[in-house]
């Protein structure tokens, strides 16, 4: 392959709606830091090792995203691109590299392109390893939204392009657990386009560990390079929207699973609630415990539902952006574009968008159920608590009447006993009991009498 190039397009989330203006996510600079590590460990281009000093978002090699505020150009450097220098290879030719860093709304994007020093140098499968593609794989780049590896090359019309594309895709991920699978084939700017998806078998839904591969082979001397340069911005933004759509959909599915788990827990709480109120004497402690647990679950459930609604808005926005980019690419390519890109927007995106809306519709009634359950428990607890308080109040009144009346009687008896030394002589005239017994007995009987009187009074009330 001549006019060979290997490009990395990586996209990393800078900030979300939850960050305040000027703030970024915790690992916003991870993309730039990992590129510097690649420059220090494998692709030892001088410019890549010294990348921090070139980026607007760094000051004295320290990440400072506030320096990006108010900057109108999307590029994070003052030049069109950054020449990283060159590296020698064992076969005598050098590899040149350039880098273009961008801030696309809420996303950091980078284009790192490696080319032989001369376009006439032929690059075959063995020479591909001189470009050290393994250092550009997701395990090293860790772009949160995903990445695309793109190869372009020109071959003779007699070349078996299908076989060549398969070998190139396998060589890109050699030595890893990634398994490239061809998902589409078409044409782009007059050249053959082979599209692969290499997933991590351990985490197939994690966009950070996926590698999207585009192999463009020019076997007809088409003006692919010229047209691609003209459509560069649209291609970059299309890839950004593509990875965002995949990322958003996976985030939405995760939030849906979390909401379903919370809803399942709600079903258990309803069963526990029914068990508590079915008892002859409702257990206030159990209901109060539910009152403590359910609002927290309800809040988590509402957050999941809110995030799903946000994801639906985000995926709709990025579908629109993708469609705009695709239409502009078609205009540059004479009305043509890869059929797989058309299918992606018309089939996959539509299906995912509808799925998120279906999830929202399915979960929304659960939000009302949470509120109804809380209100019901609160009403029962308040009623039971009022009954309990009223019962306690009546008991206190009865005891108060009883002990008060008993105390009065006890006082009268004490005075009487002092005047009549043997109030219980009728029981035993020869050996009357001590006067204290009379006081205790009559006081006890009087207390019981007045408690009974208090019970009748509170009962009637």
């Amino acid at each position: 392959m001549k006019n060979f190039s290997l490009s990395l397009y990586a996209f990393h989330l800078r900030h979300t709606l939850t960050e305040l203006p000027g703030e970024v996510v915790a690992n916003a600079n991870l993309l730039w830091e990992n590129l510097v590590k690649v420059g220090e460990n494998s692709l030892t281009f001088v410019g890549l090792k010294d990348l921090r000093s070139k980026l607007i978002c760094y000051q004295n090699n320290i990440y400072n995203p506030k320096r990006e505020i108010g900057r109108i150009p999307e590029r994070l450097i003052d030049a069109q691109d950054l020449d990283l220098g060159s590296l020698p290879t064992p076969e005598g030719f050098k590899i040149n590299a350039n880098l273009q860093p961008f801030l696309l709304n809420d996303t950091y994007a980078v284009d790192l392109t490696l080319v032989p020093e001369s376009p006439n140098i032929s690059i075959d499968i063995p020479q591909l390893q001189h470009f050290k593609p393994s250092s550009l794989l997701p395990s090293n780049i860790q772009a949160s939204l995903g990445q695309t590896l793109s190869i372009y090359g020109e071959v003779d019309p007699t070349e078996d392009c299908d076989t060549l594309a398969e070998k190139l895709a396998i060589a890109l991920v050699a030595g890893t657990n990634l398994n490239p699978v061809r998902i589409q084939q078409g044409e782009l700017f007059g050249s053959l386009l082979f599209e692969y998806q290499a997933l991590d078998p351990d985490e197939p839904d994690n966009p950070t560990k996926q590698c999207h591969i585009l192999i463009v082979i020019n076997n007809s001397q088409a003006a692919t390079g010229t047209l691609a340069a003209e459509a560069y911005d649209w291609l970059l933004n299309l890839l950004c929207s593509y990875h965002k759509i995949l990322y958003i959909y996976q985030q939405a599915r995760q939030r849906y699973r979390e909401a379903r788990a919370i809803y399942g827990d709600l079903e258990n709480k309803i069963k526990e609630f029914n068990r508590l109120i079915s008892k002859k004497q409702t257990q206030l402690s159990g209901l109060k415990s539910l009152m403590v647990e359910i609002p927290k679950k309800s809040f988590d459930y509402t957050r999941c539902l809110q995030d799903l609604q946000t994801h639906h808005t985000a995926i709709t926005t990025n579908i629109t952006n993708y469609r705009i980019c695709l239409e502009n690419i078609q205009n540059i390519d004479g009305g043509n574009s890869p059929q797989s890109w058309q299918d992606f927007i018309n089939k996959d995106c539509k299906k995912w968008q509808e799925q998120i809306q279906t999830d929202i519709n399915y979960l929304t009634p659960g939000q009302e159920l949470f509120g109804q359950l809380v209100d019901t428990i609160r009403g029962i607890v308040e009623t039971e608590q009022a009954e309990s308080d009223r019962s306690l109040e009546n008991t206190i009144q009865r005891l108060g009447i009883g002990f008060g009346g008993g105390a009065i009687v006890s006082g009268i008896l004490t005075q009487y006993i002092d005047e009549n030394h043997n109030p219980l002589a009728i029981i035993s005239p020869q050996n009357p009991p001590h006067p204290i017994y009379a006081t205790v007995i009559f006081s006890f009987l009087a207390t019981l009498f007045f408690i009974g009187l208090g019970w009748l009074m509170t009962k009637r009330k």
Side-chain angles (χ1 to χ4, degrees):
M1 301 177 69
K2 294 186 178 180
N3 276 325
F4 176 87
S5 65
L6 170 63
S7 297
L8 165 69
Y9 302 97
F11 305 93
H12 189 78
L13 193 63
R14 177 187 183 272
H15 62 267
T16 66
L17 292 175
T18 59
E19 274 73 44
L20 296 173
E23 293 185 350
V24 296
V25 297
N27 63 343
N29 64 331
L30 184 63
L31 176 61
W32 313 124
E33 295 297 326
N34 284 338
L35 286 172
V36 171
K37 289 180 181 178
V38 170
E40 293 172 344
N41 300 324
S42 53
L43 293 173
T44 55
F45 294 100
V46 174
L48 194 56
K49 287 189 264 187
D50 196 33
L51 179 61
R52 297 188 192 94
S53 65
K54 307 297 182 182
L55 295 174
I56 296 297
C57 52
Y58 278 82
Q59 187 174 25
N60 298 324
N61 283 336
I62 298 175
Y63 180 62
N64 183 9
K66 293 183 179 179
R67 289 172 54 103
E68 302 164 354
I69 298 176
R71 185 174 176 82
I72 297 177
E74 294 178 330
R75 282 176 167 79
L76 294 177
I77 54 176
D78 293 324
Q80 182 73 13
D81 59 14
L82 181 61
D83 184 1
L84 301 180
S86 61
L87 290 179
T89 66
E91 297 193 22
F93 67 90
K94 293 182 179 181
I95 296 175
N96 297 333
N98 68 74
L99 182 143
Q100 298 184 66
F102 302 90
L103 173 57
L104 306 178
N105 297 317
D106 60 355
T107 302
Y108 283 135
V110 67
D111 168 8
L112 173 60
T113 298
L114 310 178
V115 297
E117 60 181 337
S118 170
N120 294 321
I121 295 176
S122 180
I123 302 298
D124 295 323
I125 302 301
Q127 287 79 33
L128 178 61
Q129 297 308 318
H130 296 321
F131 293 78
K132 299 182 180 178
S134 61
S135 62
L136 303 178
L137 293 178
S139 58
N140 292 311
I141 304 302
Q142 298 178 351
S144 60
L145 298 179
Q147 68 171 65
T148 295
L149 279 180
S150 176
I151 285 180
Y152 172 78
E154 299 174 358
V155 298
D156 294 333
T158 57
E159 182 74 36
D160 183 355
C161 296
D162 283 24
T163 302
L164 177 60
E166 190 76 18
K167 291 180 178 179
L168 287 170
I170 294 173
L172 282 176
V173 299
T176 71
N177 63 343
L178 299 177
N179 180 30
V181 177
R182 184 184 298 182
I183 55 176
Q184 297 291 349
Q185 179 179 342
E187 290 188 4
L188 178 64
F189 301 133
S191 294
L192 299 177
L193 172 66
F194 301 89
E195 189 170 359
Y196 291 81
Q197 191 70 272
L199 305 179
D200 187 325
D202 298 327
E203 298 182 62
D205 294 332
N206 188 346
T208 306
K209 297 190 176 183
Q210 297 176 6
C211 187
H212 180 229
I213 299 173
L214 297 178
I215 298 176
V216 181
I217 302 178
N218 188 344
N219 65 345
S220 60
Q221 297 183 345
T224 304
T226 302
L227 295 174
E230 185 179 350
Y232 179 83
D233 290 341
W234 297 116
L235 285 168
L236 180 69
N237 281 276
L238 180 134
L239 288 175
C240 182
S241 296
Y242 168 81
H243 285 290
K244 275 190 171 182
I245 290 169
L246 295 179
Y247 173 81
I248 293 167
Y249 181 67
Q250 294 303 329
Q251 290 290 304
R253 296 308 295 162
Q254 177 63 29
R255 293 303 273 166
Y256 174 73
R257 287 190 289 268
E258 292 173 2
R260 284 291 299 146
I262 297 173
Y263 189 84
D265 188 64
L266 173 62
E267 294 287 350
N268 295 330
K269 299 301 182 188
I270 292 176
K271 292 179 182 178
E272 184 178 353
F273 168 74
N274 291 331
R275 180 180 60 80
L276 289 172
I277 63 175
S278 65
K279 294 183 177 181
K280 292 182 179 180
Q281 185 175 2
T282 303
Q283 296 182 0
L284 282 179
S285 60
L287 290 176
K288 289 180 178 179
S289 177
L290 287 179
M291 280 286 294
V292 173
E293 296 174 9
I294 292 177
K296 174 62 169 59
K297 293 289 184 181
S298 177
F299 178 76
D300 292 340
Y301 189 87
T302 301
R303 285 292 303 272
C304 288
L305 187 57
Q306 182 182 11
D307 287 347
L308 278 172
Q309 292 167 341
T310 302
H311 291 325
H312 185 268
T313 301
I315 201 170
T316 300
T317 301
N318 281 281
I319 289 172
T320 301
N321 293 341
Y322 186 99
R323 181 176 285 110
I324 292 172
C325 293
L326 187 58
E327 289 173 354
N328 281 276
I329 291 171
Q330 288 175 334
N331 293 335
I332 294 172
D333 197 14
N336 299 317
S337 66
Q339 184 59 43
S340 60
W341 294 3
Q342 296 273 4
D343 293 340
F344 176 76
I345 196 73
N346 294 329
K347 296 179 181 179
D348 295 338
C349 290
K350 181 180 179 181
K351 178 181 68 177
W352 296 338
Q353 188 180 26
E354 292 175 350
Q355 181 62 59
I356 296 176
Q357 185 59 56
T358 300
D359 294 343
I360 293 172
N361 296 341
Y362 183 81
L363 293 173
T364 299
Q367 189 178 25
E368 299 176 1
L369 184 58
F370 266 111
Q372 292 173 358
L373 181 58
V374 171
D375 291 341
T376 302
I377 295 175
R378 183 181 291 114
I380 294 175
V381 168
E382 290 175 353
T383 302
E384 292 292 330
Q385 189 67 55
E387 290 291 337
S388 177
D389 293 343
R390 188 178 299 112
S391 176
L392 178 61
E393 180 183 350
N394 290 339
T395 300
I396 293 173
Q397 288 180 355
R398 294 164 188 170
L399 292 176
I401 293 172
F403 288 120
I408 294 172
V409 171
S410 177
I412 295 173
L413 283 174
T414 301
Q415 183 178 359
Y416 176 77
I417 291 170
D418 289 340
E419 295 174 357
N420 302 278
H421 300 290
N422 297 313
L424 295 180
I426 190 172
I427 298 176
S428 180
Q430 300 300 323
N431 187 21
H434 193 278
I436 191 65
Y437 291 109
T439 303
V440 172
I441 292 172
F442 284 116
S443 295
F444 177 74
L445 293 174
T447 299
L448 290 178
F449 171 76
F450 282 107
I451 288 176
L453 181 62
W455 181 83
L456 289 174
M457 293 173 61
T458 56
K459 186 72 174 178
R460 178 174 297 180
K461 182 179 178 181

